[in-house]
Amino acid sequence: MSDTTSVVLAGVGGQGILLASEIVAQAAKISGFDVKTNEVHGMAQRGGSVIAHVRFGEKVYSPLAAKGEAKVLGGLERISALRYADYLCEGGLVAVNSQMMVPVTVSMGMGEYPADAEKLLRDKFENLIYINASEEARKLGNVRAANVVLLGALSKGLDKLSEEAWLEAVKISVKPKFIDLNIKAFKTGRDI
C-alpha cells in the first residue's frame, strides 16, 4: 500500500491555484517528504479551468493523482470541486470556496451554471468544508488571499503536515510584502 498522499486543487485562471499548490508542496518538502507536482492550465488566463496535483510521501514516482486517490480536494469555486470529484478517495476531505465563477462555456451560451451548486456539493461530499473564503480574505484586506484561506481549511485533512510547516511554506512562497496577510489568511481558514 502506498504511503503517498495526494492533493488536488481546482479552480479557474486567476484564482491562485498555482500558488496554492506551491505552498502545499513547500509544506510537504519542509516536513521531509519527497514531493512531485503537476498543473494543467489551458486557457487559464481567459477564465479557463486550472487543476493542480501535489503528491508527497517517502518516495513519489508520479506527480499525477489517480482518480479515487486524493486525500483532499480543494475547489476555489463551487463547480470546480464537482468537476474533479472523481479524484477524491473514500472519506477524503473537500474544501470549497462558495464563490461562483461563471465558466467560459456558460458565458458563451454553451452550458448552464447549476443553480443548486451548493446542494450538489452537500449531496456529493460527506466530508465537506464549504466556506466563503473570498469574503474572509476580503475582511483581511485582500480578496486575492482566498486561495490561502481555503488552504488553511483543507490543511485540516493533511495531518502529516504541521501548522509550523504550513506557515513556513507560506513565508517561502509569497512575496515579502504579502507574508503577514497570507499568514492571517491561512490561520483564518484553519480556524473555520
Side-chain angles (χ1 to χ4, degrees):
M1 182 169 191
S2 172
D3 70 339
T4 301
T5 299
S6 299
V7 177
V8 173
L9 302 169
V12 298
Q15 289 192 296
I17 297 286
L18 302 185
L19 174 61
S21 69
E22 171 66 21
I23 292 171
V24 176
Q26 287 292 346
K29 186 175 173 186
I30 289 165
S31 300
F33 294 109
D34 183 31
V35 182
K36 297 235 179 336
T37 65
N38 178 277
E39 67 262 355
V40 177
H41 43 92
M43 299 294 284
Q45 292 181 348
R46 296 182 183 208
S49 177
V50 179
I51 181 171
H53 297 233
V54 180
R55 301 185 75 228
F56 61 90
E58 187 174 319
K59 180 65 183 162
V60 179
Y61 295 98
S62 170
L64 296 175
K67 290 186 177 177
E69 189 176 69
K71 185 171 183 182
V72 298
L73 170 64
L76 275 129
E77 66 88 34
R78 299 185 292 185
I79 298 304
S80 296
L82 290 169
R83 183 177 297 136
Y84 297 105
D86 291 349
Y87 282 98
L88 191 68
C89 72
E90 188 174 326
L93 174 67
V94 180
V96 177
N97 183 6
S98 64
Q99 182 180 22
M100 175 181 156
M101 303 232 2
V102 177
V104 173
T105 51
V106 171
S107 63
M108 293 175 62
M110 297 168 56
E112 287 185 33
Y113 194 96
D116 58 347
E118 181 178 350
K119 181 181 183 318
L120 292 171
L121 287 162
R122 293 190 186 284
D123 289 348
K124 180 81 177 172
F125 301 114
E126 183 177 311
N127 194 7
L128 172 69
I129 298 173
Y130 186 75
I131 60 173
N132 191 337
S134 300
E135 178 59 20
E136 295 297 330
R138 190 193 61 73
K139 288 179 195 172
L140 295 172
N142 190 332
V143 72
R144 296 186 66 155
N147 58 342
V148 180
V149 172
L150 192 77
L151 272 185
L154 69 78
S155 71
K156 294 186 276 190
L158 296 169
D159 53 2
K160 292 180 180 176
L161 308 179
S162 69
E163 184 169 349
E164 292 75 24
W166 283 103
L167 296 178
E168 185 62 27
V170 169
K171 290 176 188 173
I172 290 170
S173 303
V174 303
K175 292 179 182 174
K177 68 180 181 180
F178 296 117
I179 288 174
D180 289 344
L181 167 69
N182 283 283
I183 293 289
K184 289 177 188 171
F186 181 84
K187 289 182 175 180
T188 296
R190 195 159 171 105
D191 290 342
I192 289 177

